[in-house]
Amino acid sequence: MKHATFLRFFLPTATAMVLFIALPIVSVLIQSVHVPHDRVVVEVENCTPFGCTKSTVIDQAATQKLRDEKPLGRFVGLAIYTDRSHLAFAEIGEAWSRAGGIGDFLGRVMNLPFYRALAFTLTYMVLVTPLSILLGFVVAVAVNAIPRLFRGPVIFFSLLPMIVTPLVGALILFWMVDSRGIIGAAVQWLANDANLSLKASTPLTWIMLIVYGTWSTAPFAFVVYYAGLQTVPQDSLESAMLDGATRWQRIRYIVLPHLAPLTVFMFLIKIMDNFRVFEPIVSFNAAAHAQSLSYFIYSDLGGETRLLSSAAATSVLTISGVLVLLSPALVRTWRQFGKA
């Protein structure tokens, strides 16, 4: 392809990437190293026939002038990244010096909001990513093996978690795990504890969110794997059958190697997606027991005091975390293209 033709094809994509990806990231980076200006406070004296009193008031004109001169705010460098709400370097050092052991140290660290959110985010990503991919693969293999007459309805029901709006699906499961719901009542009966609540226990809440995440994201893996199964060489499968290979052996030595590129692709997509987990926490109203980095950003942006700089710093840390997790695949891809 000629360079001019390539540029004509790529220019719209490059323009969209600059406008909607690069520039917002640069804006977030700039905002994360600035904080709003402090209000200018002046002392005034109020005199009455009974005497004079002094009080402090906000000088609106001086405050507005300061904002007009430096609209980005006051430059603080990396101070936001290292404060207690984020990486908390000072608190980490204090916890290390006072901790009685590694368990005590980790307990102190988990009391810090950023690390508590990071712990749930990593746990959710590490468990949901392989479980959803595995479940999607199993369903795809099962659907591909049934007669064509029944594939349509089975595919429809397999895609229901993707068809149903995530918020609606989460609310349905939220009602089901209630103590009056079918799942909540069943858990109480199995545990022989009428006071047991999935919503009141942090470990059970984490399990509930992980189960929902696996269920709701497995259809994506199912669709990709089912499409990939249609491209598996039939000659190789028939030859393996003639040689006496079992179904598991055909899957292990023919199907899985053929679908390996799809698996890598889905792992990359799922890691990025699950690291930004947000909707399940809101839908299940589980913020008291589980908070992710994305929910941390949402909390900073909500309410009357919008902590834009804090939210920007957390966003940058989230992007950095995704890049670190994807770095092995990115380095491998870079080397492959370098050799080519």
Side-chain angles (χ1 to χ4, degrees):
M1 181 182 295
K2 296 181 179 180
H3 292 293
T5 305
F6 171 78
L7 288 176
R8 283 197 295 269
F9 274 104
F10 182 69
L11 185 60
T13 302
T15 303
M17 291 175 65
V18 170
L19 291 177
F20 301 110
I21 299 178
L23 290 181
I25 291 178
V26 172
S27 175
V28 169
L29 281 170
I30 295 174
Q31 184 63 56
S32 67
V33 294
H34 291 82
V35 295
H37 293 292
D38 295 330
R39 295 181 178 181
V40 179
V41 179
V42 295
E43 188 178 73
V44 297
E45 186 176 18
N46 300 317
C47 294
T48 65
F50 303 98
C52 296
T53 59
K54 292 183 178 181
S55 62
T56 57
V57 297
I58 298 174
D59 190 337
Q60 299 291 350
T63 302
Q64 187 60 43
K65 181 181 179 181
L66 188 60
R67 292 175 178 174
D68 294 338
E69 292 177 353
K70 296 182 178 179
L72 289 177
R74 179 166 51 89
F75 179 78
V76 294
L78 300 179
I80 301 176
Y81 291 92
T82 60
D83 64 10
R84 189 184 187 280
S85 297
H86 295 90
L87 297 180
F89 286 167
E91 287 74 10
I92 292 291
E94 183 180 356
W96 179 258
S97 61
R98 294 186 177 183
I102 187 64
D104 185 29
F105 172 72
L106 292 177
R108 292 173 181 267
V109 171
M110 288 300 104
N111 287 328
L112 298 171
F114 177 81
Y115 291 99
R116 186 165 58 245
L118 181 62
F120 173 77
T121 301
L122 291 175
T123 302
Y124 183 90
M125 182 204 68
V126 169
L127 293 179
V128 171
T129 298
L131 289 176
S132 61
I133 291 177
L134 178 61
L135 179 59
F137 175 76
V138 172
V139 174
V141 171
V143 171
N144 195 55
I146 63 177
R148 292 183 177 272
L149 179 63
F150 303 103
R151 287 187 185 179
V154 174
I155 291 176
F156 172 76
F157 285 106
S158 300
L159 294 178
L160 273 180
M162 183 181 294
I163 297 173
V164 176
T165 305
L167 181 60
V168 175
L171 287 176
I172 293 174
L173 186 57
F174 179 75
W175 295 328
M176 293 175 66
V177 300
D178 188 80
S179 59
R180 296 167 294 178
I182 182 171
I183 297 179
V187 170
Q188 289 180 347
W189 179 76
L190 291 174
N192 194 22
D193 185 356
N195 296 320
L196 181 62
S197 174
L198 293 175
K199 301 177 182 179
S201 170
T202 297
L204 293 179
T205 300
W206 283 34
I207 293 174
M208 178 177 62
L209 293 173
I210 291 170
V211 169
Y212 169 76
T214 303
W215 172 80
S216 62
T217 59
F220 172 74
F222 159 68
V223 170
V224 175
Y225 274 132
Y226 184 73
L229 287 173
Q230 312 311 310
T231 65
V232 176
Q234 296 300 315
D235 295 341
S236 300
L237 292 176
E238 292 175 358
S239 299
M241 293 177 62
L242 292 176
D243 291 337
T246 63
R247 181 176 180 83
W248 164 245
Q249 289 174 332
R250 296 197 299 270
I251 292 175
R252 179 181 178 183
Y253 295 106
I254 299 177
V255 176
L256 288 179
H258 181 77
L259 298 179
L262 290 179
T263 303
V264 174
F265 163 75
M266 280 190 292
F267 260 101
L268 297 178
I269 297 297
K270 291 290 186 182
I271 286 174
M272 291 187 290
D273 193 35
N274 292 330
F275 197 79
R276 297 178 291 104
V277 55
F278 172 73
E279 292 89 351
I281 299 175
V282 176
S283 303
F284 284 95
N285 195 22
H289 301 283
Q291 291 190 9
S292 65
L293 295 179
S294 296
Y295 190 87
F296 201 54
I297 299 171
Y298 169 77
S299 300
D300 285 340
L301 294 177
E304 297 181 358
T305 57
R306 297 180 180 179
L307 306 177
L308 300 181
S309 301
S310 177
T314 307
S315 300
V316 173
L317 292 173
T318 302
I319 295 172
S320 302
V322 172
L323 291 177
V324 169
L325 293 171
L326 297 182
S327 58
L330 296 176
V331 170
R332 180 181 178 184
T333 303
W334 178 269
R335 290 176 177 176
Q336 288 179 346
F337 278 99
K339 292 180 181 179

